[in-house]
Amino acid sequence: MDDDGNLQDEIRLPNDRLSELAEQYAGGEAAIEASGHYRPVYEMLNEHLDVTLVNSSKNRVIADATVKTDRIDAKRLAHMLRADMLAESYVPSDEIPQGADLVRTRKSLVEERTAEKNRVRAVLKRTDNAYDSELFGPTGREFLAELSLNDADRTIVEAHLSVIDEYDKQIERLEKKIEEKALESPAAQRLLSIPGVGQSTYL
């Protein structure tokens, strides 16, 4: 689209050809919506273009449109970019998505480890074995080792405990990497000085 809003070209192409488009219009401007998977598209275009990442929920013309297609939305974005009317989304530096991925993975593993612990508790409940809340600490492990269980239940409990041990190792590994990322980032160090903000919450 030119400065007067006249459509100069309209192209539909797959993501793997976006770099060709960016090179063709190098030095120009582009706008893309902040979808859940915007990052690769943003990085490809941003090598050659001045890219605006758009927060569609804050751009009422787009968010409230009764007719929404890729083609129509693209034209709206182009018109609003030309008129400097777009509400931008924050684009974090490369290190922040990497840190966030580490934190998300840690959270996922903690949840899966909790599921394994609940499976051990289910065996004990089914076999009418009382236990305290510290079932998976050193004292709890001694209790589980000495517990009278039939062969099948013993095998099941030990299988879950083995998986829990592996989760423990991987979670500890992730936590060390998260700590390294935090120590490398001056911004993270400032945030960590706030009470209640930890290494797994600043990202």
Side-chain angles (χ1 to χ4, degrees):
M1 191 172 286
D2 64 19
D3 290 339
D4 296 320
N6 300 309
L7 190 65
Q8 300 296 297
D9 206 352
E10 188 171 10
I11 308 164
R12 175 179 288 275
L13 75 170
N15 284 351
D16 60 6
R17 290 186 56 209
L18 283 173
S19 57
E20 296 174 26
L21 179 74
E23 289 177 21
Q24 181 181 347
Y25 291 96
E29 294 181 86
I32 62 170
E33 289 190 75
S35 66
H37 306 286
Y38 79 88
R39 190 85 191 187
V41 173
Y42 178 89
E43 289 175 351
M44 271 191 281
L45 294 177
N46 202 46
E47 285 188 30
H48 303 283
L49 303 169
D50 179 11
V51 183
T52 297
L53 183 66
V54 179
N55 185 334
S56 57
S57 66
K58 292 185 179 179
N59 289 280
R60 306 299 300 186
V61 173
I62 298 171
D64 295 343
T66 54
V67 178
K68 282 183 68 66
T69 66
D70 288 344
R71 187 175 182 220
I72 291 171
D73 282 355
K75 287 182 180 178
R76 288 192 182 109
L77 283 172
H79 277 297
M80 293 175 73
L81 177 65
R82 181 179 59 84
D84 195 24
M85 293 173 59
L86 288 170
E88 295 186 43
S89 283
Y90 168 66
V91 181
S93 63
D94 288 341
E95 67 180 36
I96 291 177
Q98 291 173 18
D101 286 343
L102 289 169
V103 171
R104 275 193 295 269
T105 302
R106 177 193 172 277
K107 178 177 181 290
S108 175
L109 293 184
V110 168
E111 289 172 349
E112 290 168 18
R113 181 180 64 183
T114 298
E116 289 295 319
K117 290 179 178 181
N118 287 337
R119 292 181 182 110
V120 172
R121 293 187 181 102
V123 172
L124 300 192
K125 186 175 180 181
R126 175 167 53 77
T127 56
D128 293 325
N129 282 289
Y131 59 91
D132 60 29
S133 58
E134 298 299 321
L135 190 59
F136 300 98
T139 304
R141 285 302 184 96
E142 288 179 15
F143 166 77
L144 289 171
E146 296 169 0
L147 199 61
S148 178
L149 295 169
N150 65 43
D151 185 59
D153 287 334
R154 170 58 59 192
T155 302
I156 291 168
V157 167
E158 288 182 355
H160 289 307
L161 291 177
S162 177
V163 174
I164 290 167
D165 288 342
E166 185 58 35
Y167 278 131
D168 286 342
K169 290 177 189 174
Q170 296 305 322
I171 290 166
E172 183 180 359
R173 182 165 166 259
L174 284 164
E175 287 173 346
K176 286 180 180 176
K177 185 59 70 174
I178 291 167
E179 184 178 359
E180 289 172 14
K181 290 282 184 186
L183 290 172
E184 292 169 1
S185 169
Q189 290 303 303
R190 288 194 294 273
L191 287 170
L192 288 168
S193 68
I194 301 170
V197 176
Q199 290 167 355
S200 294
T201 58
Y202 84 92
L203 292 166

